[in-house]
Amino acid sequence: MRASRSLLPALVVLALSASACRKSQAQGTASPQDCVLVEDGWGQDGTVPFQVEVVAQGLETPWGIAWLPGGDALVTERPGRIRLLKGGVLQPQPVATVPVADAAEGGLLGIAPHPNFASNRQFYIYVTTDAGGTEENRIERWTLSEDHTTATLDRVIFNGIASATYHDGGRLRFGPDGMLYAGTGDARDPDRSQNANDPAGKLLRLTPEGEVPRDNPIPGSPAFLTGIRNLQAFDWRDASTLYIVDHGPSGETMRRGHDEVSVARRGDNLGWPGIYSCETRKGYITPSITYEDALPPGGAAIYTGTAIPEWKGSLLIGTLGSRHLQRVEFAPGSHRVARHEVYLRNTHGRLREVIMGPDGHLYVTTSNCDGRGDCGPNKDVILRLKR
């Protein structure tokens, strides 16, 4: 399916007035606030104890992990390789090599197994590719062999997602409703984020066949959430509520920093490029927390395990430039932040994927070989956090 673009340009609204920011470090335990603006750094170091194990090494910019029934996992490497983690051991040969366009933040990105993987062995990837001389992001469906050692392309299920050197999005997740969700970027064109007919700058919701579900909030549109700049991190608090972690601007509209964490529901508009930081405007979602100094975020997951009980229900965010794991704790059933703190500060470099494993532990990948970090002899690694 090819997404269509509207012939009418989207309106860029700069909400330079009527903003309501509550400035607070909100470090440690704080009184919950509507929007926390972190003005200096990213928070205090957390004190919850845990151990870090290196599960696998020798990877090159691992971007996504897809857990399979039985405990195996597929891992994407941005240069275009799908790797297999079998019995906790990274296999030397790729499961498949995917042609990718040469884009700084593009390539082979997100991956997600079909909800019925046990019976059909299908999985999905988000990839930047050359489509007849034009680079685009698209979603492909693949089939894994019975022994998990090879994979073949089934078909492209959705294409026409704008690509650029930066802001390609890329995260794939199946939701509690069995639908496929894809985070996209604005491809360095902020107007796209407010155009419901353009898949860029959105959280898309698709059927497993790549069709637009009839109950999407905008009839005929794949957009589930709009007004997004560059989405690589989201997870479900419950069946109808998501945590969204979006990148802030890096010079657009003369603004910088302010990556943000928001609580969103179907049809919400996160406001890019109309609002910024803790600004408010009718019809837009104001973030729950935003950081004056750029994180920027990689992946994120709600902690659902029991090994580190203090983290239960918290959102854990991998960060790239700031090189840490950010923990955000919300007041129960609220969009308000009660606590945020820093772990793994400058200990493992740039952190990309954050995902719960079937064993109840949190897994984190490094992204030190992406040209912006220190790619040492062990290259990038997969970490497991446990007590």
Side-chain angles (χ1 to χ4, degrees), residues 280-292:
T280 62
R281 185 181 177 91
K282 185 178 180 180
Y284 291 161
I285 297 298
T286 298
S288 294
I289 183 169
T290 182
Y291 307 82
E292 194 166 289

Side-chain angles (χ1 to χ4, degrees), residues 27 36 38 69 99 105 130 175 181 230 235 240 299 311 313 339 347 358:
Q27 296 168 351
V36 174
V38 184
E105 289 186 357
D130 188 327
Y181 291 75
N230 188 27
D235 202 356
S240 62
W311 286 2
R339 175 197 303 265
T347 58

Side-chain angles (χ1 to χ4, degrees), residues 248-307:
S250 52
E252 305 97 312
T253 66
M254 305 299 290
R255 296 171 169 186
R256 290 187 176 275
H258 296 86
D259 304 307
E260 60 186 44
V261 182
S262 301
V263 179
R265 295 175 178 84
R266 58 174 282 117
D268 280 345
N269 188 325
L270 276 70
W272 174 251
I275 62 172
Y276 167 76
S277 187
C278 283
E279 293 172 349
T280 62
R281 185 181 177 91
K282 185 178 180 180
Y284 291 161
I285 297 298
T286 298
S288 294
I289 183 169
T290 182
Y291 307 82
E292 194 166 289
D293 296 329
L295 293 170
I302 297 173
Y303 192 86
T304 58
T306 58

Side-chain angles (χ1 to χ4, degrees), residues 112 124 139 157 172-175 178-182 204-207:
Y124 299 76
I139 302 171
I157 71 156
L172 293 179
R173 294 278 189 266
F174 271 92
M179 297 296 167
L180 179 63
Y181 291 75
L204 306 180
R205 179 177 182 259
L206 304 167
T207 71

Side-chain angles (χ1 to χ4, degrees), residues 65-73 85 304-305 355-363 384:
I65 297 176
W67 293 104
L68 309 178
D72 286 358
L85 193 66
T304 58
I355 189 169
M356 292 300 302
D359 57 2
H361 297 306
L362 188 75
Y363 286 76
R384 176 168 53 211

Side-chain angles (χ1 to χ4, degrees), residues 20-22 31-37 261 263 278 280 286-290 330 334-337:
C21 295
R22 295 191 181 185
S31 299
Q33 301 178 38
D34 286 330
C35 178
V36 174
L37 172 61
V261 182
V263 179
C278 283
T280 62
T286 298
S288 294
I289 183 169
T290 182
F330 290 84
S334 170
H335 67 280
R336 295 177 173 179
V337 171

